[in-house]
Amino acid sequence: MLTDFMQFAVDQAKLAGVATYQNPRVGAVLVKDGHVLAQGYHHYFGGDHAEVDVLRQVTPEQARGATLFVTLEPCSHYGKTPPCCEQLVDAGIQQVVIGQLDPHPLVGGQGRQYLRDHGVKVITGCMSDVVRKLNPHYNHFYTQQRPWVTLKTAMTLDGKINSGAPRRTLISNHASYVDSQRLRSQFQAILIGERTLTIDDPQLTVRLIAMSQPPVRLVVLESSTVALQHRLVRDGQAPTWLLCRHAAASDEQLQASANVHVLIGDWSPAAISQLCVEQGWQSLLVEGGAHIQAGFVAAALVDEWISYLAPTMIGGAGLPAVTGAPATESLVFERPELAWLGTDLRLRAVRKEGE
């Protein structure tokens, strides 16, 4: 019976999609005498948490003595909203069933303890394996102290990502394009290198899904001068961070835009990962190019690989995927998930835990 109600809470959490941004997706169900009184979820970043969403749907009398099923441990600190734990106690909730303890250091078991200290019965770990899949990036960020890193590429049957000529090479089909837009929406930062910027002139935006918090665009460059004529520093559609190895006269000009930031440094994969930590970006999608992606592989900072494999071949001087950096010990992934997108094959592999 507990799992039935927790499954309702999981289904509620999924309704939020990407709207919760840096907050986790959370669902909740309020039950009394075996009957569901209310179901709710955290709708958007900065909005009411799931626990408050369900309490707003019932009277004080209904809430008193009820059991709350919630996918993630209720918060115990003041953030964008007051602590949910206090509101649950004030409402007279008798029991709270939690799917997963919150890995965030400001919560991390403190919400559970607060409830217990105030006479609320607490059960934890209900359907934990299912619940953890709701927020893989959030969980990884706070348990590993670094962003979840995904490498994404479109390549031919012979493993090439472009023709080798200094021009854009279209490889994947429209169905893959639509899927890659959906993929972008799931990340808080997107990274490319200088060659990808100059050859493809990408926007790195999510154009098929409305987002209140679009992914931050990161570009690794020798200097900001290269970026002056490209769309992503002029369109204002999302924050853009230029990670430059050398200062240039263009730095001040570009930073006059509210959406452009120029940082000077040695932008290794480890340094980029640390920047994500400092800015609170929990997930990083590395779209290109081959040298940037190879650097993340060499640094063993890869958690997921997604490739759109097209039924074509380039051969010759075509540029292979993930090339141009020193080799490393092989990274081991779980069995890949395969899906057909028209004539393209989408391959997704997640790194094995502990590897």
Side-chain angles (χ1 to χ4, degrees):
M1 196 67 170
L2 294 182
T3 56
D4 291 339
F5 291 130
M6 184 58 73
Q7 184 60 56
F8 292 156
V10 169
D11 294 340
Q12 285 290 304
K14 292 178 180 178
L15 296 176
V18 298
T20 60
Y21 187 48
Q22 294 180 343
N23 288 348
R25 296 192 296 173
V26 182
V29 176
L30 194 64
V31 178
K32 194 172 185 179
D33 298 327
H35 299 287
V36 173
L37 300 180
Q39 300 185 63
Y41 62 98
H42 179 43
H43 288 247
Y44 58 89
F45 184 62
D48 287 340
H49 288 187
E51 301 92 325
V52 176
D53 190 33
V54 295
L55 288 177
R56 291 189 187 282
Q57 300 175 43
V58 298
T59 66
E61 183 178 350
Q62 288 175 315
R64 195 171 300 111
T67 294
L68 180 77
F69 290 79
V70 62
T71 56
L72 191 68
E73 178 183 13
C75 65
S76 55
H77 65 285
Y78 282 88
K80 292 184 178 296
T81 60
C84 291
C85 284
E86 293 183 10
Q87 298 184 65
L88 294 176
V89 170
D90 291 344
I93 298 299
Q94 184 179 66
Q95 177 176 254
V96 176
V97 181
I98 299 171
Q100 176 199 338
L101 293 180
D102 195 331
H104 195 298
L106 291 177
V107 185
Q110 297 178 59
R112 174 179 61 179
Q113 191 59 48
Y114 182 94
L115 292 170
R116 286 176 172 170
D117 288 346
H118 289 78
V120 179
K121 181 181 178 181
V122 180
I123 298 174
T124 58
C126 181
M127 292 182 63
S128 61
D129 289 344
V130 174
V131 169
R132 288 181 184 280
K133 294 178 181 178
L134 290 170
N135 300 291
H137 299 169
Y138 177 87
N139 290 332
H140 183 274
F141 185 80
Y142 287 111
T143 57
Q144 303 300 317
Q145 289 79 53
R146 69 169 180 84
W148 175 282
V149 177
T150 295
L151 306 191
K152 170 233 160 181
T153 189
M155 64 183 184
T156 61
L157 292 175
D158 54 343
K160 304 298 175 62
I161 60 173
N162 69 35
S163 65
R167 63 176 181 272
R168 186 181 183 191
T169 304
L170 292 177
I171 292 176
S172 54
N173 63 22
H174 182 71
S176 292
Y177 164 77
V178 171
D179 189 81
S180 68
Q181 284 282 302
R182 181 199 57 79
L183 178 66
R184 277 184 182 174
S185 73
Q186 298 172 358
F187 286 79
Q188 293 172 12
I190 302 174
L191 174 71
I192 61 170
E194 184 168 320
R195 180 179 170 86
T196 301
L197 176 69
T198 56
I199 292 178
D200 292 352
D201 190 22
Q203 291 178 277
L204 303 182
T205 54
V206 180
R207 296 181 286 280
L208 302 181
I209 301 172
M211 298 189 68
S212 59
Q213 302 282 349
V216 173
R217 303 177 290 191
L218 308 177
V219 188
V220 178
L221 303 166
E222 285 301 313
S223 77
S224 63
T225 306
V226 179
L228 284 173
Q229 303 305 317
H230 291 282
R231 292 184 291 179
L232 54 72
V233 300
R234 294 183 282 109
D235 62 18
Q237 294 189 43
T240 303
W241 292 61
L242 305 180
L243 311 181
C244 304
R245 296 188 175 95
H246 306 287
S250 52
D251 293 353
E252 186 175 345
Q253 173 187 346
L254 286 165
Q255 291 195 128
S257 168
N259 267 350
V260 178
H261 307 266
V262 180
L263 297 182
I264 310 300
D266 177 18
W267 293 106
S268 64
I272 295 169
S273 178
Q274 183 57 36
L275 174 65
C276 290
V277 171
E278 293 168 359
Q279 297 299 320
W281 302 325
Q282 298 164 8
S283 52
L284 176 66
L285 180 62
V286 185
E287 290 207 4
H291 291 68
I292 292 282
Q293 292 184 336
F296 276 86
V297 172
L301 292 175
V302 179
D303 302 294
E304 180 182 38
W305 167 268
I306 292 180
S307 184
Y308 300 94
L309 187 64
T312 59
M313 298 182 75
I314 290 177
L319 181 67
V322 191
T323 187
T328 185
E329 293 184 16
S330 61
L331 303 181
V332 182
F333 293 79
E334 301 285 355
R335 181 179 178 179
E337 299 173 3
L338 305 176
W340 285 105
L341 298 172
T343 56
D344 289 356
L345 181 64
R346 182 185 192 266
L347 183 152
R348 174 182 181 264
V350 175
R351 188 173 174 179
K352 278 190 174 182
E353 290 189 16
E355 296 291 344

